[in-house]
Amino acid sequence: MRLEQDIRVINKLGLHTRAAAKLAKLCSRFESSIEIASSKRRADAKSIMSVMMLAACQGTELKMVVEGEDAAEALRQINDLFESCFEERE
Amino acid sequence: MFTLHGTGVGFGIAIGTARLIRRPGQEVPEYSILSGQVNQEIQRLTDGIHSAADCLSAYYEDIHDASTSEVQGILEAHLMMVQDPILLEQSASIIRERLVNAEFALQLHCENLQAVFRNIDDPYMRNKSDEISQVIGRIQDELLGQHAGQSSLEGIKEGEIIVTHDLMPADTIEYKKYHVGAFLTNLGGPISHTAILARSMQIPAIVGLHEGIRYLKTGDTLVIDGKRGIVLVEPDDAALDVYHKRAAKIKRVARELEAIKYKPARTLDGRTIELNANIEFADELKQSLECNASGIGLYRTESLYMNRKELPDEAEQFDVYSTLLNSTERPVTIRTLDLGADKQVDGGRRNMSLATNPALGLRAIRLCLHDLTLFKPQLRALYRASIHGDLRIMIPMVSSQAELDQLFIVLDEVRDELAQENLPFKPHVPIGGMIEVPAAAVTADIFAKRLDFLSIGTNDLIQYTLAIDRIDDEVNYLYDPLHPAVLRLIKSVIDVGQNAGIPVSMCGEMAGDIECTRILLALGLREFSMDSAVISEVKQRVRGTHIGEIEPMVRDLLTVNESDRYRDLIQLINR
């Protein structure tokens, strides 16, 4: 299964260090390959360094490409994480 | 003896010996390797990464109970960064291609990564590049430690002055154990990790020394003047003597201030004075309560709007205001948006730089009335939050009655809307005006009839009255809070308030300047609002003042015509 979705960074600090860590940690739990891309760069969402290099600040539009058996569940949980502003008080 | 200069943060003066700690960003050795040594060098790199990871995991285990979740989160992220396979792969390929040692390969890799962040205009993102260099520096440390054979923090003695490139969040836990005397760093500003750590340990630090620390070596005797941002290196006996005395005095004053924290701010002739705190962020409330402020005299809401692309909506503002009001029963005065001039909304709502003189342009209440989409969500949020505490709303930069007419129409609309939507609010929230335009000061009696309180904003009032732009180096020597014109305006506003029976407070810098405290008391001011850090100092001044005794001198001050006599009088008053 291959799923694509646009996702927007809504939290104030953007994909900062701790947020990138949470995203990479979450993505690593899934079998699927997960790519996340800004207009300038692609990143392996399981690699914290790679995610940080997107330098995605608040308002950035990102494209997720998830491929594998658990793609739907992965995408759902990724959405939840973004929507919860990475579970941080702002 | 020589001196170094940087940004002073933290408390007081420290005298001790230097202890240099190597940190990333300082030079790492660079040497070529033979192609036959590549695998061996990559193995060194891998080992370095493993020991850096071990070291971070050990910290992580260590702090589980002791520290905040924020520090834990950062440590965990750093651990993940160190262990990220991409870091090893990319640094290893630099070793292979350029035939250089592991430390230098990491350095080159770090520079490549940082180049990506350099051109990003989001301040939160920009300092990510510091974190990357910290993490890579930790691996470099381990690699160099393999040469030196020991960890760099071992053997630190109590009172030693830590000299290093920059502090990392993980270090903040380590250093607390050692009771160090002060920090000196090349990097960092007033809100850096180093500054926060120094404040929490109540020791001085000087940050932003740029490459200054290269002139220091372990064992140098140093004097750190945290207030002035000066380092004295190998001071002579005379300088040491002066600083030992100053350090003793600072300790004594701190003890005295601590002792009066919970005593009332009452003058020798029995007048009780309200000392409120100015805050910029809602989480500063805790600090101001610790300093025993009577309330919040000025909460500046601009920080909610700055450093972001989109404006905060009503819900977000309601959250912030109601949380703040819920956390204290003391009165809280929230000032509506004071944007414009030196404070611009990020995201370029409109191009203010076109105005030739922004201080006199479309700003504060003018901007808000001009753009109700900006103003109304804030007012709605404030009224809705009003049921959660003792709220007062303060309007910045009022200058004419027509503005008040418009303001009251908007306030009526907001209340009507909320009532129609069945949202709870207090209908009679006190509405005050900030008196900072001379026109408003001169006609304060008219404003007083329509407002519930007045607050004198001295920074702008002085600037407008004296026609001095404070940030213009060539004229700022003329900026004088004690100019008779300023004092007369202040006095007339205070008198107006007394006649009208409404409170008058002061929230500009002058209110927290102990050189002005007595004069303001004699002019009749009874409510001050200031940075919470100076509340105790001002209180000490209040407690040592007999208003009746200095009143005649302050009256003279308003009419004196010789500048010598004027200076003498001020000295006499503050004696």
Side-chain angles (χ1 to χ4, degrees):
Chain A
M1 186 166 27
R2 179 188 159 95
L3 295 173
E4 284 189 24
Q5 196 205 320
D6 290 335
I7 199 162
R8 188 181 160 86
V9 180
I10 55 167
N11 65 313
K12 188 162 91 190
L13 300 182
L15 269 182
H16 61 100
T17 314
R18 272 168 294 148
K22 280 183 183 158
L23 179 63
K25 208 165 143 187
L26 172 69
C27 290
S28 301
R29 286 197 216 121
F30 294 99
E31 292 288 321
S32 300
S33 71
I34 305 176
E35 186 188 272
I36 178 167
S38 68
S39 56
K40 297 193 190 95
R41 257 184 118 90
R42 289 157 185 276
D44 173 0
K46 297 179 184 181
S47 153
I48 179 174
M49 289 294 243
S50 182
V51 170
M52 282 177 72
M53 296 319 291
L54 291 172
C57 53
Q58 186 181 40
T60 307
E61 297 285 352
L62 297 170
K63 190 186 189 77
M64 310 283 317
V65 180
V66 190
E67 195 165 3
E69 289 202 351
D70 51 7
E73 180 58 18
L75 203 53
R76 194 185 64 77
Q77 293 196 23
I78 292 168
N79 269 310
D80 286 351
L81 187 64
F82 272 80
E83 268 165 32
S84 72
C85 293
F86 300 93
E87 302 156 351
E88 285 190 9
R89 264 188 54 223
E90 301 228 310
Chain B
M1 177 170 94
F2 62 96
T3 60
L4 298 174
H5 300 260
T7 307
V9 292
F11 293 79
I13 285 167
I15 300 168
T17 50
R19 158 81 62 162
L20 260 68
I21 309 278
R22 209 209 66 82
R23 278 296 175 240
Q26 278 175 274
E27 285 184 12
V28 294
E30 171 189 355
Y31 49 85
S32 301
I33 56 168
L34 299 170
S35 50
Q37 295 173 318
V38 164
N39 286 343
Q40 188 192 332
E41 198 60 22
I42 291 176
Q43 189 55 50
R44 257 192 86 225
L45 173 65
T46 314
D47 292 345
I49 287 176
H50 283 157
S51 27
D54 288 348
C55 178
L56 279 170
S57 327
Y59 285 143
Y60 187 64
E61 296 301 318
D62 230 25
I63 59 151
H64 257 316
D65 47 336
S67 195
T68 65
S69 63
E70 192 184 5
V71 176
Q72 280 181 22
I74 291 174
L75 267 182
E76 191 187 11
H78 283 195
L79 184 58
M80 288 171 72
M81 284 158 79
V82 166
Q83 291 172 323
D84 195 321
I86 287 186
L87 180 67
L88 175 60
E89 278 163 32
Q90 295 182 348
S91 307
S93 69
I94 294 176
I95 295 178
R96 244 177 254 123
E97 282 159 25
R98 310 242 333 221
L99 296 177
V100 290
N101 59 315
E103 293 91 336
F104 192 64
L106 282 166
Q107 195 60 33
L108 291 174
H109 183 44
C110 184
E111 283 162 18
N112 290 340
L113 296 177
Q114 286 181 318
V116 177
F117 288 99
R118 204 161 298 141
N119 296 320
I120 294 170
D121 61 0
D122 183 307
Y124 294 118
M125 280 297 148
R126 222 178 298 133
N127 69 40
K128 293 298 133 275
S129 88
D130 292 346
E131 297 210 40
I132 287 175
S133 76
Q134 287 179 358
V135 165
I136 288 180
R138 192 166 275 285
I139 303 169
Q140 289 171 326
D141 265 5
E142 291 296 332
L143 287 168
L144 291 166
Q146 286 172 5
H147 289 310
Q150 63 163 352
S151 147
S152 52
L153 291 194
E154 268 168 37
I156 290 180
K157 295 188 203 74
E158 189 171 329
E160 276 187 326
I161 291 163
I162 301 302
V163 179
T164 186
H165 186 68
D166 193 16
L167 287 185
M168 310 189 220
D171 295 334
T172 61
I173 303 129
E174 272 300 280
Y175 282 115
K176 279 195 179 177
K177 296 183 197 156
Y178 289 100
H179 301 286
V180 299
F183 296 111
L184 299 182
T185 60
N186 275 338
L187 297 186
I191 54 163
S192 59
H193 285 306
T194 312
I196 293 165
L197 177 63
R199 276 193 284 265
S200 78
M201 291 173 70
Q202 306 219 337
I203 61 174
I206 299 180
V207 300
L209 283 164
H210 300 286
E211 291 306 311
I213 70 170
R214 81 165 90 155
Y215 302 108
L216 304 176
K217 56 184 189 300
T218 295
D220 282 349
T221 299
L222 304 178
V223 172
I224 313 300
D225 185 337
K227 192 172 174 189
R228 295 181 181 79
I230 301 172
V231 187
L232 267 62
V233 186
E234 293 292 322
D236 54 35
D237 289 346
L240 258 183
D241 191 45
V242 168
Y243 270 97
H244 273 299
K245 282 186 182 137
R246 269 198 209 160
K249 188 179 170 197
I250 288 171
K251 274 199 189 128
R252 199 183 64 234
V253 170
R255 269 199 308 274
E256 283 171 15
L257 292 182
E258 185 61 30
I260 63 165
K261 195 147 109 181
Y262 295 102
K263 293 194 175 156
R266 194 179 300 134
T267 64
L268 293 174
D269 42 354
R271 308 266 189 175
T272 300
I273 309 300
E274 265 184 50
L275 302 181
N276 294 306
N278 293 347
I279 61 173
E280 195 134 358
F281 301 94
D283 55 13
E284 287 174 280
L285 174 73
K286 193 166 154 259
Q287 194 194 346
S288 42
L289 293 179
E290 275 165 15
C291 298
N292 200 17
S294 334
I296 301 301
L298 166 64
Y299 169 42
R300 306 183 175 96
T301 52
E302 293 77 58
S303 62
L304 289 171
Y305 290 76
M306 297 170 90
N307 291 327
R308 56 190 291 168
K309 296 257 190 294
E310 277 164 31
L311 297 172
D313 60 11
E314 178 183 329
E316 179 182 341
Q317 294 194 55
F318 170 72
D319 259 5
V320 174
Y321 303 149
S322 53
T323 310
L324 178 67
L325 288 162
N326 268 328
S327 350
T328 179
E329 287 171 3
R330 301 183 186 192
V332 175
T333 302
I334 300 184
R335 181 175 72 186
T336 60
L337 247 190
D338 188 8
L339 285 174
D342 54 339
K343 289 166 288 194
Q344 304 283 328
V345 195
D346 286 11
R349 198 166 169 81
R350 65 170 49 79
N351 193 350
M352 301 281 221
S353 59
L354 288 177
T356 49
N357 198 339
L360 305 181
L362 186 64
R363 46 170 295 210
I365 186 62
R366 303 171 181 175
L367 175 65
C368 286
L369 289 173
H370 186 87
D371 186 349
L372 290 179
T373 59
L374 191 65
F375 198 27
K376 265 193 162 174
Q378 180 169 44
L379 292 175
R380 286 176 54 101
L382 284 168
Y383 268 102
R384 285 175 54 202
S386 64
I387 54 169
H388 294 282
D390 187 358
L391 171 69
R392 290 113 204 251
I393 298 176
M394 179 155 77
I395 311 293
M397 221 199 162
V398 287
S399 62
S400 77
Q401 297 309 310
E403 269 169 352
L404 285 194
D405 297 343
Q406 286 182 53
L407 172 72
F408 288 129
I409 291 171
V410 178
L411 292 177
D412 280 342
E413 277 174 21
V414 165
R415 283 185 298 248
D416 287 348
E417 282 170 24
L418 293 176
Q420 270 170 23
E421 294 164 41
N422 280 325
L423 291 166
F425 64 97
K426 271 189 201 162
H428 301 294
V429 179
I431 305 290
M434 228 170 129
I435 304 299
E436 46 192 335
V437 180
V442 171
T443 56
D445 54 325
I446 315 178
F447 283 90
K449 286 186 187 134
R450 310 177 70 185
L451 292 167
D452 302 307
F453 64 93
L454 302 178
S455 183
I456 306 173
T458 51
N459 299 5
D460 277 335
L461 184 63
I462 298 167
Q463 159 158 299
Y464 294 142
T465 303
L466 303 180
I468 301 300
D469 185 350
R470 233 178 13 152
I471 48 184
D472 184 338
D473 285 348
E474 292 184 303
V475 293
N476 69 8
Y477 72 98
L478 289 169
Y479 185 92
D480 177 12
L482 299 179
H483 191 294
V486 176
L487 296 184
R488 284 190 195 191
L489 282 178
I490 291 171
K491 180 164 173 26
S492 78
V493 175
I494 295 170
D495 290 348
V496 158
Q498 277 168 359
N499 291 335
I502 63 170
V504 175
S505 68
M506 176 178 288
C507 60
E509 261 165 57
M510 198 174 169
D513 180 352
I514 53 168
E515 297 300 309
C516 302
T517 309
R518 286 193 171 156
I519 295 169
L520 293 170
L521 287 170
L523 293 177
L525 192 69
R526 298 294 177 261
E527 276 184 43
F528 295 64
S529 192
M530 65 201 75
D531 195 277
S532 52
V534 295
I535 287 182
S536 287
E537 271 178 72
V538 172
K539 190 195 282 184
Q540 192 179 37
R541 190 52 74 104
V542 166
R543 290 172 57 86
T545 300
H546 190 289
I547 296 178
E549 270 175 17
I550 55 169
E551 261 169 352
M553 287 186 276
V554 174
R555 256 199 308 277
D556 281 354
L557 207 52
L558 299 179
T559 53
V560 74
N561 61 357
E562 302 143 80
S563 52
D564 284 353
R565 166 107 178 97
Y566 186 74
R567 270 195 299 275
D568 291 348
L569 264 175
I570 289 171
Q571 261 185 5
L572 215 58
I573 292 164
N574 281 331
R575 197 182 46 189

